[in-house]
Amino acid sequence: MKTVLVLEGSSRPGGNTERLTNEMLEGIDRKTIYLREKTIVPIVDKRHDKEGFSKVDDDHDAIMKEVFKHDILIFSTPIYWYGMTGIMKNFIDRWSQTLRDSQFQMKKEMENKEAFVVLCGGDHPRIKGLPLIQQFQYAFDFIGLSFSDYVIGQGNKPGDVRNDRYAIHVAKALNLILKSKISF
Amino acid sequence: MKTVLVLEGSSRPGGNTERLTNEMLEGIDRKTIYLREKTIVPIVDKRHDKEGFSKVDDDHDAIMKEVFKHDILIFSTPIYWYGMTGIMKNFIDRWSQTLRDSQFQMKKEMENKEAFVVLCGGDHPRIKGLPLIQQFQYAFDFIGLSFSDYVIGQGNKPGDVRNDRYAIHVAKALNLILKSKISF
Amino acid sequence: MKTVLVLEGSSRPGGNTERLTNEMLEGIDRKTIYLREKTIVPIVDKRHDKEGFSKVDDDHDAIMKEVFKHDILIFSTPIYWYGMTGIMKNFIDRWSQTLRDSQFQMKKEMENKEAFVVLCGGDHPRIKGLPLIQQFQYAFDFIGLSFSDYVIGQGNKPGDVRNDRYAIHVAKALNLILKSKISF
Amino acid sequence: MKTVLVLEGSSRPGGNTERLTNEMLEGIDRKTIYLREKTIVPIVDKRHDKEGFSKVDDDHDAIMKEVFKHDILIFSTPIYWYGMTGIMKNFIDRWSQTLRDSQFQMKKEMENKEAFVVLCGGDHPRIKGLPLIQQFQYAFDFIGLSFSDYVIGQGNKPGDVRNDRYAIHVAKALNLILKSKISF
C-alpha cells in the first residue's frame, strides 16, 4: 500500500491548482502540506564555505522527514510568472542543504519514490508552463526522483479549471493511474 | 545617457553570478540592488478578491520605484534547481500586485526599457538553464519589457566562471553592446 | 459546420501516432493527407535572391490549397529524434516559399483556422517532446494560426499507445472539444 | 591531434550559418559535408517489422563512415521554422536505422567524440532557437555523444551575422576552445 503526499505551493486556499489536485486525488487518501503555512527560510548557499551550511531553525527539516515517509509525491503549484511560486521555490532551493545534511540521505530516500506535478495558470499554461515542467524534470533527475506525469490546467478566476475539459480528463486518467499504483 | 540597474538575486556575496555580472559591466556605471538584503514578502494572490490586494509593508515598492528610474535592467541570478533563486522569484511574483497598484503604471513604465539576464550554474547551465531563459522571455513579454540578450556562465566554486572562456567572451560582447547603448 | 484536415507525417501506416489521431477523431469527418505519399522537395532558400523563389513542380501547392479549405488542422507526427519527422519538416520548411507566393495569401488564409498537434514517441515523450510543442507554437504564431491544444502519446511497438491511459483520456477530451467546435 | 567534421545543413551556399561556422573554425583544418549535395532518403521506420530495415542505396552510410572517422562534430544548420532544416532532419532520422545496422557500432563509435552546434536565424534566434538546442541535447544523449557547446547567430540577409557582435564573440571563444582541444 503506497502513500501519497501533496506539497502544495499556492499562496491562498481554494484556488484552481488545489481544485485540480483534488480532482486528480478523488477517493485517494493523502496528506497535504500547505507550504504557505510553514516557515521556510530562503537558502544561504554555503556549499563552498569551510564550515558548510549552518543549522536553520524553521520547518524545512520536518517537511523533508514527512517527504521521506511517502511513496508518491505530488508537487502542486499555480504558475506564477511562468514558474513555480516563490514559496515552493524557497522550499526546493533548500534541498541543496538537505543533500549535505548528515542526518538525511536524501538521494537514497528518493530512489523508490515517484513524483507527479499539478500546475494551473491563466496565460496559455499548456504552452507557457512547459519550461517549468522541464525544470521539475531536471530537479527530479538530480535527486534521483522518478517523474511519472503531470497535468496542466487553465484557469484565472477560482473555479475556472472545472471548465477545462482537457485538464479534467487528464486528472481522471491520473486518478486511475494513481489508484492502480497505490493498491499494487 | 541611459542608466543601468542590476537586480541581483544571489543568496551570498562574491559568487560566480556576481563576478560574471561585473565582467559584463566593467567600466559601466550602475546601481545594484541585492535582493537578499531587502525584505520582500511572498505574494498572497488576491487578484480575485473583492477588496483586491492588501498594502504590504516591505521593500518591494521602493525597489520598483528604482526599477522605473532606469533604462537598462540586468536580472542577475545564480541557477538554483534550474530556476532563478527563490529570493528573486518572490520579488517577481509580487509584480502581479504592482501591476494592479494604482500608484504605478508598470506596463507603461516598462515600454522603453530593455533587459539583460545573467545566469551562472554548475550543472550544464548552457543547456539546463534554457527553460529559465524562456521563463524570463514570457515574463518580460507580459510586462512589455524588451529582452535584449543574456549570458550563461558555468561554475561551481566561487571564481570558477573566470575559466569559462565562452561566458567571458559573451560578457565582453555584451559590455561593448551595453556601452554603445548607454552613450547612444 | 467546420471541417477537419489531418496532416500526417508518419513514415509508415498503422503506427501509434495514427492510432492516437484516430482515437481523437472518432466519429469526426475529416480528410487526411499522408505526407509520405506526396512529393515534397526540400526548400532552397531564395528569400534573398533577386529573382526570388523558383516555381517547384511537386505536390506542395496542392497540399496548401487543401489546407486553406479547412478550418481545423491536425498536425500528426511521430517524434523522431525529439522533433517532427523529416517528411513533415520538409513540408513546413516550404512555407517560407508559400508565404512569398503571390497566388496565395497564406497569413490571411490562416487567420480563422486553428491547429491541434498529435505526437507519439517512445522515450519519455511528455517530457522530451516539449521542445517540439514549443516549435509548433512559434511556427503557428509566425503564420497567425491559433494553437488550440495537443496530445502526446507514449508507445514503441505499434499499438502500444492504447495502453497509455493518459494519452487516451486526452484524446477523448479533445474529441469532445472538437465535436463542439465543429457543430458550433 | 583531433580532427573536425562539419555537417552542414543549409539549403544554399554562402548563408549566415556557413559564415558563422567559418568564423568559429578560422585557422582550423576540417572537412565539411554539405548535406544538400548528398542523396539522403527519408527513413521508413521498420524497427518493428520482422525483417527489419531494408538496405537503402543512398549516401547516408558513406556520411556516417566519415562521421566515425572524426573526433569533433560540428552540426551547422540555419533555423528553419524554429527547427533544423528538413535536409538535416532527414539525415538524423536515419540514425534509427544506423543504430540497428550490424556493419556499424554507432553508440560505441560516438563514445569519445564531442559535438558543437552552430545555428543562425532571423527571428529572435537566441530565444526561439532554444528548443532546437534542447532537441540536439536529447539526440546526442541518446547516441552517447557529448554536447560541448553551441553558438546561435542572428541574421536575415546573407552576411548579417557579421554584425551580430554577440555571436561573433562566441565564435571566437569556441575557436580558442576548439584549438586547445585539437592540439591537446
Side-chain angles (χ1 to χ4, degrees):
Chain A
M1 189 73 185
K2 295 187 171 178
T3 64
V4 175
L5 178 71
V6 180
L7 295 157
E8 161 67 61
S10 300
S11 69
R12 60 182 165 81
N16 284 307
T17 313
E18 193 178 337
R19 281 167 212 240
L20 185 57
T21 305
N22 287 341
E23 199 78 38
M24 183 175 98
L25 296 178
E26 204 188 302
I28 295 174
D29 272 341
R30 74 274 194 179
K31 189 179 166 72
T32 298
I33 295 179
Y34 298 96
L35 297 172
R36 67 179 172 273
E37 299 175 352
K38 305 292 179 183
T39 302
I40 300 169
V41 174
I43 197 166
V44 180
D45 181 9
K46 297 197 169 171
R47 285 174 300 151
H48 310 292
D49 283 25
K50 228 188 303 179
E51 73 278 14
F53 283 99
S54 321
K55 177 91 188 132
V56 178
D57 184 28
D58 66 0
D59 297 324
H60 198 270
D61 283 1
I63 301 172
M64 291 312 293
K65 282 173 190 165
E66 198 62 42
V67 164
F68 297 151
K69 280 185 204 155
H70 295 273
D71 307 292
I72 295 171
L73 306 174
I74 315 289
F75 291 80
S76 170
T77 175
I79 301 175
Y80 282 3
W81 295 95
Y82 314 102
M84 64 182 71
T85 61
I87 297 166
M88 182 174 272
K89 190 61 181 28
N90 273 332
F91 166 68
I92 286 179
D93 282 0
R94 287 279 299 286
W95 288 355
S96 301
Q97 182 159 359
T98 311
L99 279 166
R100 284 162 187 80
D101 189 333
S102 60
Q103 72 169 309
F104 300 124
Q105 291 197 282
M106 184 166 171
K107 285 199 181 178
K108 199 168 163 35
E109 295 278 3
M110 289 298 168
E111 258 172 27
N112 298 307
K113 298 186 197 306
E114 61 183 307
F116 290 80
V117 169
V118 181
L119 306 180
C120 269
D123 179 22
H124 296 88
R126 280 196 283 281
I127 297 295
K128 298 188 181 175
L130 300 184
L132 177 52
I133 293 295
Q134 295 175 315
Q135 289 169 329
F136 273 115
Q137 175 69 69
Y138 288 142
F140 295 161
D141 277 355
F142 193 89
I143 57 170
L145 174 62
S146 169
F147 188 178
S148 294
D149 234 316
Y150 58 88
V151 51
I152 306 177
Q154 161 98 32
N156 257 306
K157 274 176 290 186
D160 271 5
V161 77
R162 289 192 189 155
N163 304 319
D164 179 353
R165 270 189 288 197
Y166 183 109
I168 296 301
H169 271 77
V170 173
K172 282 203 170 83
L174 294 179
N175 184 270
L176 294 172
I177 289 166
L178 281 163
K179 279 176 176 161
S180 65
K181 282 174 184 287
I182 287 166
S183 59
F184 185 70
Chain B
M1 190 73 183
K2 294 185 172 181
T3 65
V4 176
L5 178 71
V6 181
L7 294 158
E8 161 66 63
S10 300
S11 68
R12 58 180 167 81
N16 283 307
T17 313
E18 193 179 335
R19 281 166 212 241
L20 185 57
T21 305
N22 287 341
E23 199 78 39
M24 182 175 98
L25 296 178
E26 203 187 303
I28 295 174
D29 273 339
R30 74 273 193 178
K31 186 179 169 74
T32 299
I33 296 179
Y34 299 96
L35 296 172
R36 67 179 173 274
E37 299 175 351
K38 303 294 178 180
T39 303
I40 300 169
V41 174
I43 196 166
V44 180
D45 180 8
K46 297 197 170 171
R47 285 175 299 152
H48 310 292
D49 283 25
K50 230 189 302 180
E51 73 277 13
F53 283 99
S54 321
K55 178 90 188 132
V56 178
D57 183 26
D58 65 1
D59 297 324
H60 197 272
D61 283 1
I63 301 171
M64 291 312 294
K65 282 174 191 163
E66 198 62 42
V67 165
F68 297 150
K69 279 185 205 154
H70 296 273
D71 308 291
I72 295 171
L73 306 175
I74 316 288
F75 291 80
S76 170
T77 176
I79 301 176
Y80 282 4
W81 295 96
Y82 313 103
M84 64 182 72
T85 61
I87 297 166
M88 183 173 272
K89 190 61 181 29
N90 273 332
F91 167 67
I92 286 180
D93 283 0
R94 286 279 300 286
W95 287 356
S96 300
Q97 181 159 359
T98 311
L99 279 167
R100 284 163 187 80
D101 189 333
S102 60
Q103 71 170 308
F104 300 124
Q105 290 196 282
M106 183 167 172
K107 286 198 180 178
K108 200 169 162 35
E109 295 279 5
M110 290 298 169
E111 258 171 28
N112 298 308
K113 298 185 197 307
E114 60 183 307
F116 290 81
V117 169
V118 182
L119 307 180
C120 268
D123 179 22
H124 296 88
R126 280 197 282 282
I127 297 294
K128 298 188 181 176
L130 300 185
L132 177 52
I133 294 294
Q134 294 175 315
Q135 290 170 329
F136 273 115
Q137 175 69 70
Y138 288 142
F140 295 161
D141 276 355
F142 194 88
I143 57 170
L145 174 62
S146 169
F147 188 178
S148 293
D149 235 318
Y150 58 87
V151 50
I152 305 177
Q154 161 98 32
N156 257 305
K157 274 176 289 189
D160 272 5
V161 77
R162 289 193 190 156
N163 304 319
D164 179 352
R165 270 190 287 197
Y166 184 107
I168 297 301
H169 271 76
V170 174
K172 283 205 169 82
L174 294 179
N175 184 269
L176 294 173
I177 289 166
L178 281 162
K179 279 176 177 160
S180 66
K181 281 174 185 285
I182 287 165
S183 59
F184 185 69
Chain C
M1 189 73 185
K2 293 186 172 182
T3 65
V4 176
L5 179 71
V6 180
L7 295 157
E8 162 65 62
S10 301
S11 69
R12 60 183 164 80
N16 283 308
T17 314
E18 193 179 336
R19 281 166 211 240
L20 185 57
T21 306
N22 287 340
E23 200 78 38
M24 184 175 97
L25 296 177
E26 204 188 302
I28 294 174
D29 273 341
R30 74 273 194 181
K31 187 179 168 75
T32 299
I33 296 178
Y34 298 97
L35 295 172
R36 66 179 173 273
E37 299 175 351
K38 303 293 178 182
T39 303
I40 300 170
V41 174
I43 197 166
V44 180
D45 180 7
K46 298 197 169 170
R47 284 175 301 152
H48 310 291
D49 284 25
K50 227 187 305 180
E51 73 277 13
F53 283 100
S54 320
K55 177 92 188 130
V56 178
D57 184 27
D58 66 0
D59 296 324
H60 197 271
D61 282 2
I63 301 171
M64 292 311 293
K65 283 174 190 164
E66 199 62 42
V67 164
F68 296 150
K69 279 184 204 154
H70 295 273
D71 307 292
I72 295 171
L73 305 175
I74 316 289
F75 291 80
S76 170
T77 176
I79 300 175
Y80 282 4
W81 295 96
Y82 313 102
M84 65 181 72
T85 62
I87 296 166
M88 183 173 272
K89 190 61 179 33
N90 272 332
F91 166 67
I92 286 179
D93 282 359
R94 287 279 299 286
W95 287 356
S96 300
Q97 181 159 359
T98 310
L99 279 167
R100 284 162 187 80
D101 189 333
S102 60
Q103 70 169 309
F104 300 125
Q105 291 197 280
M106 185 167 170
K107 286 198 180 177
K108 199 166 163 38
E109 295 278 3
M110 289 299 168
E111 258 171 30
N112 298 308
K113 298 185 198 306
E114 60 183 309
F116 291 81
V117 169
V118 182
L119 307 180
C120 268
D123 180 22
H124 296 87
R126 279 196 283 281
I127 297 294
K128 299 187 181 176
L130 299 185
L132 177 51
I133 294 295
Q134 294 175 315
Q135 289 170 328
F136 272 115
Q137 175 69 69
Y138 289 142
F140 295 161
D141 276 356
F142 193 89
I143 58 171
L145 174 62
S146 170
F147 188 178
S148 294
D149 234 316
Y150 58 86
V151 51
I152 305 178
Q154 161 99 31
N156 257 306
K157 274 176 289 188
D160 272 5
V161 77
R162 289 192 189 156
N163 303 320
D164 179 351
R165 270 190 289 195
Y166 183 108
I168 296 301
H169 271 77
V170 174
K172 281 202 171 81
L174 294 179
N175 184 269
L176 294 172
I177 289 166
L178 281 163
K179 279 178 176 158
S180 67
K181 283 176 183 282
I182 287 166
S183 59
F184 186 70
Chain D
M1 188 72 184
K2 293 186 173 182
T3 64
V4 175
L5 178 70
V6 181
L7 294 157
E8 161 66 62
S10 300
S11 69
R12 59 181 166 81
N16 283 307
T17 314
E18 193 179 336
R19 281 166 211 240
L20 185 57
T21 305
N22 288 340
E23 199 78 36
M24 182 175 98
L25 297 177
E26 204 188 304
I28 295 174
D29 272 339
R30 74 272 194 181
K31 186 178 167 75
T32 299
I33 296 179
Y34 298 96
L35 295 172
R36 66 178 173 274
E37 298 174 351
K38 303 293 179 180
T39 302
I40 300 169
V41 174
I43 198 167
V44 180
D45 180 9
K46 297 197 170 172
R47 285 175 299 151
H48 309 292
D49 283 26
K50 228 186 307 180
E51 74 277 13
F53 282 100
S54 321
K55 177 93 188 129
V56 177
D57 184 27
D58 66 1
D59 297 324
H60 197 271
D61 282 2
I63 301 172
M64 291 312 294
K65 282 174 191 162
E66 199 61 42
V67 164
F68 297 151
K69 278 185 207 154
H70 296 273
D71 307 293
I72 294 171
L73 305 175
I74 316 288
F75 291 80
S76 170
T77 175
I79 301 175
Y80 282 4
W81 294 95
Y82 313 102
M84 64 181 72
T85 61
I87 296 166
M88 182 172 274
K89 190 62 181 28
N90 273 332
F91 166 68
I92 287 179
D93 282 359
R94 285 280 299 286
W95 287 356
S96 300
Q97 181 159 359
T98 310
L99 280 167
R100 284 162 188 80
D101 190 333
S102 60
Q103 71 169 309
F104 300 123
Q105 291 196 282
M106 185 166 171
K107 285 197 181 179
K108 200 168 163 33
E109 295 279 4
M110 290 299 168
E111 259 171 27
N112 299 308
K113 298 186 197 307
E114 61 183 306
F116 290 80
V117 168
V118 182
L119 307 180
C120 268
D123 179 23
H124 297 87
R126 280 197 282 281
I127 298 294
K128 297 189 181 176
L130 300 184
L132 177 52
I133 294 295
Q134 295 174 315
Q135 289 170 329
F136 272 115
Q137 175 69 70
Y138 289 142
F140 295 162
D141 276 355
F142 193 90
I143 58 171
L145 174 62
S146 170
F147 187 1
S148 294
D149 234 317
Y150 57 87
V151 51
I152 305 177
Q154 161 99 30
N156 256 307
K157 274 176 288 187
D160 273 3
V161 77
R162 290 193 189 154
N163 303 319
D164 179 353
R165 270 190 287 195
Y166 183 110
I168 296 300
H169 271 75
V170 173
K172 281 204 169 81
L174 294 179
N175 184 270
L176 294 171
I177 290 166
L178 281 163
K179 279 176 176 160
S180 66
K181 282 174 184 284
I182 287 166
S183 59
F184 186 70

